[in-house]
């Protein structure tokens, strides 16, 4: 699809996402250089749960990054054309990787790995008659000569091939890890300083499962297809990006607001404190969902009334996603702000801050050099802990109809569409199951990491 | 104490005013009433007359803050801000898009909302506190470890899946209770059982962990060690000492939500078709009925502030050191 060239497209969420990744990399470098920070992060890595969670999250992050590299493919040149014309559709690298799943659309529902459709249709018989039967799928298992006979064996061979690739990747990882950790024995017995064994085991499971899924996806719809025949596996992978965006971009709003206002309120006290406290009490006193609902409704009106701002449908749903992140951020900075205010109140009275003040160090410098670094552990804990909550919130909000654009793949829209299908008999369960599994793994990994990070960074935890 | 109450109520006024201004800005300043009309009427049918009619029907045709064409006091009262915002303080919310009075609708729907939310709250509190106490009793054993694992796993499941799964298993496969609906009188328990149970299960994960942390913090204190040293049994320590002293942090998190129970639960009510305030809000959001959403925001913040005051009052019940002078 990109044989004629392409033009990169940077959507707003992509830009913010990569900005955040960059900031994260700078922060990691900074932490690497400071022994006490490195110690805290090492404590995260020493826990098997922490390493396992990080591996899973990194895999999700990879999917998210692949799906955030957007471009517009050039259309095949026609005769007499001087300029390249680009498609209006914005595609991502993930779309290229999953090209087959994206374009192989069935007519309607089909079960996972099925070769025949899920609902009966009128089929034309070779002798000219008609019969009600389950027709063969256009793409799912289309390579089989005799679907009934070869189906099982073909699936098994796909599984074997996928598993073989997965095992290969696992062995490769084991080899690399043993080189850096002094031998295979130490890795397998778990005698490394960081919990590399747990990371390796997790990676092996992920590699084998992913290998099998991707191998099966070459001939079948692994998780079936939805009402309009789209591949559910593809939709689920696309949802990962949306979940990551909601979980991470929101911090772009919460962090600056919470840190700036929390420090100001705590350090200066007096009327500054009163104003900031008033501000967050007001925001806090509106039940979260309702405030989000009101803001999203207004955003919808705004986007609806300014169609000229958005050239493509992708830009439009992207703007909506970004706006949703901002709204979630505006409604969720208050908790962190209150924590930071309280901590700053304590820090302000400590001797070294008093000393700095007595020496006439400028206030800005005191705040940046002496107060802010000592608040960072709270910020990091809050950041990791909020992530899973935001991913879960996205599903609920999209279900209510105040989440992401209905055309954007997300866990919420998947669940919402699947809910109606549960009433069918026999039941269409696969899109729900796919959303459940992916969401569960993502949120569980985030929760586990949050626990480990809290234990490692909270000075109160022994 | 009365002086304290009056002071707290007076302090609530500026906060409500802030909420009011914020919602007003959200609903009328970010987008003009014309924009809202265009959105609701759809792009095709929009004519200036239709927009004007839409605005007149809802009373949005007046100036926002200051009416120059009116006389005297009406210059300030005959405005959108007075009609739509200030009148909320006397719980006059005007009419919804279907023409019904919002305040009356809210009164009628509070009952069903409470019928779900109150049992869920009480039962949920009982179950999670007992579960947490059990985990603390068996702390540092495999039971505690796996209990926490189960909690983390349960926390990681979206509430939507609990409801969908419960409806599927209990109503569709086992046919124990109707899938959705609501009935008064003796019929009510049949309809309420499933949403209440699912509401409780959905909250077990995070609440249990939260209470467990509180109890563990309390159990490492000196007075607990003293109690054990003088031979008090572990169970008595848990219930007489730990639970009692953990009441302050528990109350801080719990009492605040009691008034908000009136608001019902958005998701549960909409899944089970219960005619409460939660489904009212969802319907309003989906139909883009701005007046109803505004009213719910206001009521929500009033109830939250009531919850804060109740929290402070509840401290006096469990902690004799707390007094209001």
């Amino acid at each position: 699809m990109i044989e004629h060239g392409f033009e990169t497209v940077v959507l707003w969420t992509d830009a913010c996402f990569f900005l955040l990744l960059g900031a994260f990399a700078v922060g990691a470098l900074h932490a690497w250089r400071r022994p006490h920070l490195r110690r805290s992060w090492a404590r995260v890595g020493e826990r098997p749960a922490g390493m396992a969670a990080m591996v899973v999250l990194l895999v999700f992050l990879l999917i998210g990054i692949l799906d955030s590299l957007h471009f517009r493919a050039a259309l095949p040149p026609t005769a007499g054309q001087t300029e390249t014309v680009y498609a209006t559709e914005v595609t991502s690298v993930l779309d290229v990787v999953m090209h087959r799943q994206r374009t192989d659309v069935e007519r309607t529902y089909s079960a996972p790995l099925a070769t025949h459709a899920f609902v009966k249709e009128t089929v034309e018989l070779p002798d000219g008659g008609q019969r009600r039967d389950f027709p063969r799928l256009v793409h799912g298992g289309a390579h089989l000569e005799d679907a009934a006979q070869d189906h099982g064996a073909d699936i098994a061979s796909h599984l074997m091939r996928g598993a073989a690739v997965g095992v290969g990747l696992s062995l490769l990882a084991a080899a690399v890890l043993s080189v850096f950790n002094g031998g295979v024995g130490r890795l397998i017995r778990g005698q490394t300083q960081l919990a590399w064994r747990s990371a390796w085991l997790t990676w092996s499971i992920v590699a084998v499962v992913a290998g099998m899924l991707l191998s099966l996806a070459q001939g079948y719809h692994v998780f079936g297809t939805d009402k309009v025949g789209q591949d559910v596996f593809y939709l689920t992978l696309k949802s990962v990006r949306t979940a990551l965006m909601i979980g991470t971009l929101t911090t772009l709003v919460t962090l600056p607001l919470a840190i700036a206002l929390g420090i100001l309120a705590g350090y200066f006290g007096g009327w500054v404190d009163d104003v900031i406290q008033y501000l967050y009490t007001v925001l806090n006193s509106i039940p979260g969902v309702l405030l989000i609902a009101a803001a999203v409704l207004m955003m919808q009106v705004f986007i609806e009334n300014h169609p000229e701002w958005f050239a493509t449908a992708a830009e439009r749903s992207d703007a909506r996603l970004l706006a949703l992140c901002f709204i979630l951020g505006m409604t969720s900075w208050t908790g962190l702000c209150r924590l930071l205010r309280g901590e700053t109140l304590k820090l302000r009275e400590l001797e070294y801050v008093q000393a700095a003040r007595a020496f006439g160090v400028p206030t800005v410098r005191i705040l940046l050099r002496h107060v802010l670094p000592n608040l960072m552990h709270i910020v990091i804990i809050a950041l990791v802990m909020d992530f899973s909550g935001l991913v879960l919130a996205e599903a609920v909000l999209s279900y209510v109809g105040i989440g992401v654009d209905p055309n954007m793949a997300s866990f919420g829209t998947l669940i919402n569409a699947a809910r109606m299908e549960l009433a069918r008999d026999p039941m269409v369960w696969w899109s729900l199951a796919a959303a459940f599994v992916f969401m569960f793994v993502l949120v569980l990994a985030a929760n586990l990491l949050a626990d480990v990070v809290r234990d490692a960074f909270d000075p109160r935890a022994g | 104490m009365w002086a304290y109450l009056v002071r707290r109520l007076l302090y609530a006024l500026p906060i409500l005013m802030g909420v009011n201004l914020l919602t007003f800005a959200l609903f009328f300043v970010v987008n003009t009433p014309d924009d809202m009309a265009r959105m609701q009427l759809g792009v095709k049918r929009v004519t200036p007359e239709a927009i004007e009619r839409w605005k007149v029907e809802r009373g949005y045709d007046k100036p926002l803050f200051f009416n120059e064409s009116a006389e005297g006091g009406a210059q300030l009262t005959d405005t959108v801000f007075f009609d739509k915002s200030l009148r909320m303080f006397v719980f006059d919310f005007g009419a919804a898009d279907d023409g019904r009075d919002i305040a009356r609708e809210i009164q009628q729907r509070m009952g069903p909302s409470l019928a779900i939310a109150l049992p869920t709250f009480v039962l949920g509190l009982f179950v999670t506190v007992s579960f947490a106490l059990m985990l603390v009793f068996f702390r540092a054993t495999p039971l505690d470890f796996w209990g926490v694992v189960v909690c983390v796993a349960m926390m990681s499941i979206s509430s939507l899946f609990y409801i969908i799964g419960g409806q599927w298993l209990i109503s569709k496969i086992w046919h124990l209770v109707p899938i959705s609906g609501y009935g008064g009188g003796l019929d009510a328990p049949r309809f309420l059982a499933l949403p209440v149970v699912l509401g409780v299960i959905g909250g077990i994960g995070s609440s249990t962990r939260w209470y467990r942390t509180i109890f563990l913090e309390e159990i490492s204190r000196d007075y607990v060690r003293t109690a054990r040293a003088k031979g008090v049994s572990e169970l008595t320590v848990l219930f007489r000492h730990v639970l009692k002293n953990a009441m302050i942090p528990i109350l801080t998190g719990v009492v605040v939500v009691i008034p908000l129970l009136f608001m019902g639960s958005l998701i549960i009510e909409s899944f089970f078709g219960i005619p409460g305030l939660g489904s009212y809000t969802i319907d309003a959001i989906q139909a883009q009925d701005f007046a109803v959403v505004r009213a719910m925001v206001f009521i929500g913040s009033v109830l939250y502030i009531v919850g804060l005051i109740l929290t402070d009052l509840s401290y006096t019940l469990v902690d004799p050191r707390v007094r209001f002078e």
Side-chain angles (χ1 to χ4, degrees), chain A residues 278 285 298 300 400 422 427, chain B residues 14 164 168 172 286 288 301:
Chain A
Y278 173 72
S285 64
M298 288 308 115
Q300 277 174 354
V400 178
L422 274 185
M427 200 171 61
Chain B
I164 295 173
W168 174 74
K172 211 176 153 197
Q286 276 159 1
Q288 304 188 328
S301 39

Side-chain angles (χ1 to χ4, degrees), chain B residues 275-322:
Chain B
L277 286 177
S279 55
Y280 189 49
T281 315
I282 283 219
D283 292 345
I285 291 171
Q286 276 159 1
Q288 304 188 328
D289 191 331
F290 304 111
V292 175
V293 177
R294 233 174 35 234
M296 297 309 288
V297 168
F298 185 76
I299 294 196
S301 39
V302 170
L303 292 175
Y304 177 81
I305 289 169
V306 172
L308 285 184
I309 298 177
L310 282 183
T311 308
D312 281 358
L313 293 182
S314 71
Y315 289 158
T316 52
L317 294 180
V318 297
D319 191 345
R321 289 170 302 183
V322 179

